[in-house]
Amino acid sequence: MHKYEGELNYKRLKELFHEMEVYLGNLHTMYIESIIGYAWIYKFVQKEQDNIRGLLGPSEVTEEEFQNECLISYESICGDDITPMSFAGSMKQGNLKDRNRSGGKNELEIGKQCVVSLYAFWEDYLRLELAKAKGLVQQDKTKDKEVERILSKHMSFDFWGDIGLLRNSIVHHNSVSTDACGSKIKILKWFPAGSEIALTYKHMRIVFMEAAKFRNLIFKWSFPEHYIQIRKRDK
């Protein structure tokens, strides 16, 4: 039975707010800059194909279908020879465009990676630290059955539950929505059971907004509640 009732540690709550602010900011900028990079690569290859078409005029070798089969190297895109750091130094232009187009494989993969990272930050660190700061768990406690019971009762939130269900489908079910993911999700209701977890920019924008709402909730917790007392007038 849970008997420990410690005091709220407002200083620690403020620290956790700042920690989540930094973590979320870093994750968000990494995601946005990746999306920008994918779009830039797509436009670069498309522009190169358009230039060839403009130079040679309409012909079989300038048709998009033909050019998509032609090879392109990373060095020709970024100016640096990064072949030793890559599995393939060159690839078909069509495959490169497909990966980097809006809604393409790269966009979907970075979204899944962000969801997995978010849940790890929550489940492996933030959740227990918040419980300690709110006086629900003793400071020296690590996760055991009793702590898990306390966290389940007092530190469960719809958003993080949704992120956990998505993460479980991504990591353990090859990015296919499970029955639980399809039926139990409360906020991020996008993927029926059996469908692919395909997190586009529009989906991830909502994920980051919901995460920011929780960050702001921690900020709210970091201040004592204040009440205004109105004294009755003497008759």
Side-chain angles (χ1 to χ4, degrees), residues 85-168:
M85 295 178 284
S86 169
F87 288 105
S90 60
M91 70 294 303
K92 290 182 178 180
Q93 295 180 26
N95 293 341
L96 187 62
K97 289 198 303 182
D98 285 342
R99 287 197 300 272
N100 288 283
R101 70 173 68 252
S102 177
K105 181 178 179 180
N106 286 351
E107 180 180 321
L108 302 184
E109 286 298 322
I110 194 69
K112 289 188 288 187
Q113 290 176 25
C114 285
V115 164
V116 172
S117 178
L118 270 171
Y119 189 71
F121 178 72
W122 165 249
E123 189 62 28
D124 296 340
Y125 176 69
L126 186 62
R127 192 181 190 188
L128 180 58
E129 290 302 310
L130 284 172
K132 291 178 179 180
K134 289 173 73 67
L136 300 170
V137 175
Q138 294 179 17
Q139 293 299 313
D140 60 347
K141 281 284 188 179
T142 56
K143 281 189 178 181
D144 55 26
K145 289 184 178 180
E146 176 60 17
V147 170
E148 291 284 2
R149 187 192 67 80
I150 295 168
L151 295 177
S152 178
K153 182 177 180 179
H154 299 285
M155 294 301 296
S156 292
F157 303 88
D158 288 346
F159 169 70
W160 291 113
D162 288 0
I163 291 295
L165 289 167
L166 288 173
R167 179 262 180 198
N168 186 57

Side-chain angles (χ1 to χ4, degrees), residues 35-54:
I35 294 297
I36 292 171
Y38 303 149
W40 187 90
I41 291 173
Y42 179 86
K43 290 178 181 178
F44 176 90
V45 178
Q46 189 64 58
K47 184 177 180 180
E48 288 293 300
Q49 292 185 348
D50 291 341
N51 288 341
I52 293 294
R53 192 173 298 110

Side-chain angles (χ1 to χ4, degrees), residues 34 54 68-69 79 110 122 132 158 164 179 185 200 211 223 226 229:
S34 296
N68 282 345
E69 293 297 312
I110 194 69
W122 165 249
K132 291 178 179 180
D158 288 346
D179 290 341
I185 278 188
T200 66
F223 293 94
H226 295 282
Q229 294 183 342

